[in-house]
Amino acid sequence: MMTSCKEENKTQAVNETKGRDSIQPNIIYIMADDLTTQAISAYGGIYKDIAPTPNIDRLADEGMLFQDVLCTNAICGPSRASILTGTYSNKNGYYKNESGGKFDKSQWTFPQEFQKNGYQTSLFGKWHLGTVPQGFDNFKYHNSAGQQGNYWDPIYNENGRDIKEKGYATNLSTDFAINWLESGRKKEAPFMMLLQYKAPHRSWQPETKYEQLWEDIEMPYPATFDDDYKGREKTAGDTEMTMDYFSRRDMKYAEPKNLKGKEKLAWAFYGAKKDEIVQPDGMSAQEGKKWRYQTYIKDYLACVKSVDDNVGRILDYLDENNLTENTMIVLTSDQGFYLGDHGFFDKRFIYEESLRMPFIVKYPKKIKSKTINEDIITNIDFAPTLLDLADINTEQKMQGKSFKSILMGNTPKDWQQAMYYHYYEFPYWHHVQPHYGIRTQKYTLAHFYYNIDLWELYDLEKDPQQMNNIINDEAYSDTISDLKMQLTGLMKKYENNKSLEEFRVITDKDFGSIVDQ
Ligand code: SGN
Ligand code: CA
């Protein structure tokens, strides 16, 4: 410990002689997969007292919590590509997960810039982009189940070599991260580490000690649990992500022996056959729906609990090694998620629960504790911000903007309080209609296309739960024209003002598979 402290001090001296106005911070970027604000007690919500997240809350308590960090394309690979490049899917070419191909690794990404500027860099956990991670001195990423990763005994790719590890993924990824902090990095340089958990992504497998945690409790139901999709029948009302679409695997039925090929897939995804709704005999439809939700939400929140525990391990490590003061910690997710909200699981929609990403930053040296920010920020803003915070200047053109000044408590007067959204993948998985739209502080306007042509408008002040599509309400006709104009402006700005036909081609195009055949 003594040596590591001394060496950290040497780092500071090196930075100072470089003439930088401040000592460059260490950065730990923690990104869970499918972690949503409703599951984090610092964000409030219905699980706050039953399933608290004390360690993540500690980050919020000692840092800044963001209410309106929004995902530009709410699905794993595309969001990760946007985060790494600071650009929209139409720029970085990674539009979809399913038949989305591989991320073009010849592209610039922010970790490469950190590495070039003398940072020690590393990646642990989920990568899910199909290509060798660039810009890391060391990496160890999930390399099973199409790089989705497994919860138990997962295969990791460690610097190019596959290794099967024993144990629970969330704990393992943290072990690897801590080992690297302790003895894997060169301590004379600042570090930038990505710690990206597979949890709480489907198939929601808790750690053994948390399997029965809430066995005797009935979890509360979100207010929109019984959404009847009135006025949204062909969009929200036509998905494969309602409580009816849980599989037998999701509901913990034992896997029959000797299933192969299509049969095995059907079991994992849909139950015994595609249209079967999984529930115990004798239950009414509503009882079955609630029963499926209870199983799901308990497993999901138990996976979150392990993430929270491991955030605590990282915080403790920093404290014990005198690294807290100069290390910035970011806690986020690749998008939000539905926890029975609108009767859904999964993500993909522009609707709030999947659009909003948890985002909390702790950096005691520069960021005031217990602050809450409500500016609109998106995942393409992450890369420029992290670089800016490390005082790294780059020539690289990004579409996102640094929000360093927002972190310091000053929102620039001309900060763009509107975001452009675009989701392309259809029909697999979950049958969510392709759509694009604009989200401002007050409204969400979306255009659903492909084989339908429908617009939706929500007044977020009057209807925060987005139950009333008011697109045909005369009183809003000026608002609609204005929002459509703003939307067209954003599509031009981000160089994605294409025709619906051109967008359809992207949805139909098979960009290939993430896994080498
Ligand atoms: C898997 C899941 C889907 C999920 C996608 C995308 N099915 O296909 O439910 O929407 O991943 O998730 S599973 O049965 O294989 O778990 S993402 O986080 O990678 O975008
Ligand atoms: Ca995800």
Side-chain angles (χ1 to χ4, degrees):
M1 301 292 146
M2 281 307 286
T3 355
S4 86
C5 247
K6 258 192 219 147
E7 286 180 65
E8 301 297 326
N9 291 338
K10 217 160 69 191
T11 308
Q12 301 186 352
V14 169
N15 278 327
E16 272 157 13
T17 49
K18 276 186 188 160
R20 292 191 165 117
D21 64 344
S22 62
I23 298 159
Q24 288 177 294
N26 301 309
I27 296 173
I28 301 182
Y29 175 90
I30 305 176
M31 182 158 77
D33 190 356
D34 292 358
L35 175 62
T36 190
T37 54
Q38 307 95 284
I40 296 174
S41 37
Y43 278 92
I46 59 175
Y47 313 107
K48 181 162 69 70
D49 300 321
I50 309 172
T53 48
N55 295 296
I56 298 177
D57 294 1
R58 210 181 121 194
L59 288 175
D61 211 45
E62 295 168 16
M64 194 172 211
L65 176 143
F66 289 80
Q67 290 286 6
D68 257 339
V69 168
L70 309 177
C71 188
T72 49
N73 182 2
I75 182 166
C76 182
S79 176
R80 285 160 203 261
S82 286
I83 289 167
L84 288 166
T85 59
T87 63
Y88 271 92
S89 310
N90 58 290
K91 278 275 157 203
N92 63 51
Y94 209 87
Y95 293 95
K96 306 182 286 179
N97 261 8
E98 184 68 19
S99 52
K102 294 177 165 63
F103 175 69
D104 172 4
K105 73 171 190 303
S106 68
Q107 290 183 81
W108 176 94
T109 57
F110 79 80
Q112 295 174 49
E113 198 71 43
F114 272 93
Q115 193 181 44
K116 210 172 86 189
N117 281 272
Y119 266 76
Q120 285 280 294
T121 56
S122 63
L123 157 77
F124 299 99
K126 186 162 168 177
W127 177 244
H128 199 213
L129 288 168
T131 34
V132 180
Q134 302 294 303
F136 299 101
D137 298 318
N138 299 95
F139 60 75
K140 189 159 182 172
Y141 65 84
H142 281 290
N143 204 19
S144 43
Q147 294 195 358
Q148 287 285 8
N150 290 325
Y151 278 96
W152 289 100
D153 300 342
I155 296 170
Y156 284 84
N157 183 295
E158 183 174 19
N159 305 319
R161 211 164 50 93
D162 278 354
I163 302 174
K164 193 174 167 79
E165 297 283 357
K166 271 224 133 347
Y168 188 67
T170 313
N171 300 335
L172 289 169
S173 295
T174 314
D175 293 345
F176 306 147
I178 290 178
N179 285 345
W180 184 80
L181 288 174
E182 184 65 19
S183 53
R185 67 191 169 108
K186 293 196 189 87
K187 291 189 175 153
E188 60 273 15
F191 63 83
M192 201 282 300
M193 179 171 89
L194 306 189
L195 173 53
Q196 307 193 148
Y197 294 117
K198 185 248 167 11
H201 186 272
R202 204 175 179 186
S203 50
W204 312 300
Q205 292 174 39
E207 218 176 324
T208 314
K209 64 180 177 190
Y210 293 143
E211 264 175 5
Q212 314 285 323
L213 194 55
W214 296 294
E215 209 186 7
D216 303 324
I217 291 171
E218 184 175 19
M219 285 287 177
Y221 298 86
T224 58
F225 185 65
D226 286 320
D227 190 343
D228 61 2
Y229 313 117
K230 201 161 158 277
R232 296 158 291 141
E233 290 81 359
K234 294 211 160 85
T235 55
D238 189 16
T239 71
E240 294 180 356
M241 51 188 246
T242 65
M243 300 291 111
D244 290 350
Y245 285 88
F246 286 123
S247 69
R248 284 183 177 258
R249 183 191 63 176
D250 296 330
M251 293 299 115
K252 302 182 163 183
Y253 283 67
E255 182 173 354
K257 286 203 177 90
N258 306 323
L259 287 185
K260 284 203 186 82
K262 276 193 181 147
E263 264 193 318
K264 195 174 171 72
L265 268 182
W267 180 84
F269 293 127
Y270 300 110
K273 53 184 174 4
K274 187 175 183 315
D275 295 320
E276 181 184 344
I277 294 175
V278 181
Q279 66 185 57
D281 290 342
M283 276 189 182
S284 70
Q286 186 63 10
E287 282 165 352
K289 179 180 173 184
K290 287 183 155 183
W291 175 83
R292 287 188 295 283
Y293 165 78
Q294 290 295 330
T295 307
Y296 159 58
I297 195 65
K298 287 174 187 171
D299 284 344
Y300 177 97
L301 292 173
C303 292
V304 173
K305 187 153 177 58
S306 295
V307 170
D308 187 70
D309 290 348
N310 280 284
V311 168
R313 288 179 63 202
I314 297 285
L315 289 172
D316 290 347
Y317 179 85
L318 296 180
D319 282 347
E320 286 155 14
N321 290 278
N322 209 10
L323 285 165
T324 297
E325 193 61 15
N326 198 40
T327 301
M328 181 170 84
I329 307 185
V330 177
L331 184 283
T332 187
S333 167
D334 54 347
Q335 10 65 209
F337 210 69
Y338 298 96
L339 301 183
D341 314 272
H342 298 286
F344 296 149
F345 65 97
D346 217 68
K347 52 260 180 176
R348 299 158 195 271
F349 275 114
I350 193 175
Y351 307 139
E352 290 297 287
E353 295 85 350
S354 52
L355 181 74
R356 289 174 66 211
M357 308 164 83
F359 199 87
I360 304 174
V361 190
K362 171 180 182 294
Y363 180 24
K365 214 178 209 168
K366 296 248 171 94
I367 299 175
K368 258 178 77 186
S369 61
K370 294 190 186 9
T371 42
I372 293 178
N373 179 273
E374 293 182 348
D375 295 310
I376 290 183
I377 286 163
T378 72
N379 58 345
I380 62 168
D381 300 325
F382 296 2
T385 306
L386 293 174
L387 290 166
D388 198 7
L389 282 157
D391 287 327
I392 296 175
N393 292 317
T394 169
E395 296 295 301
Q396 178 63 29
K397 280 208 168 61
M398 287 172 266
Q399 293 178 310
K401 292 266 169 294
S402 166
F403 56 95
K404 180 177 171 183
S405 57
I406 293 179
L407 281 159
M408 305 297 139
N410 306 304
T411 301
K413 281 209 175 60
D414 60 351
W415 187 257
Q416 180 178 293
Q417 298 290 357
M419 70 90 69
Y420 167 59
Y421 182 84
H422 203 142
Y423 168 80
Y424 304 85
E425 186 175 303
F426 184 76
Y428 299 112
W429 293 98
H430 304 298
H431 200 275
V432 170
Q433 206 70 38
H435 59 291
Y436 61 89
I438 179 171
R439 158 72 151 72
T440 66
Q441 294 282 6
K442 257 191 102 167
Y443 299 103
T444 301
L445 175 82
H447 186 196
F448 293 82
Y449 66 93
Y450 191 79
N451 52 354
I452 57 174
D453 183 3
L454 291 170
W455 288 82
E456 292 183 5
L457 175 70
Y458 298 94
D459 183 330
L460 298 176
E461 277 170 12
K462 293 202 180 121
D463 177 27
Q465 289 174 329
Q466 302 177 298
M467 295 293 279
N468 305 310
N469 170 19
I470 47 170
I471 197 72
N472 295 318
D473 186 335
E474 284 293 316
Y476 286 90
S477 58
D478 288 349
T479 303
I480 293 169
S481 318
D482 177 54
L483 286 169
K484 282 190 177 172
M485 230 168 64
Q486 282 192 58
L487 174 57
T488 309
L490 290 178
M491 289 168 90
K492 283 196 184 128
K493 174 175 174 180
Y494 297 119
E495 298 175 44
N496 203 26
N497 50 333
K498 301 189 184 80
S499 68
L500 289 182
E501 191 43 50
E502 287 171 302
F503 288 145
R504 257 197 298 269
V505 169
I506 295 165
T507 293
D508 288 339
K509 187 168 168 184
D510 187 343
F511 290 85
S513 160
I514 199 168
V515 183
D516 286 321
Q517 300 300 318

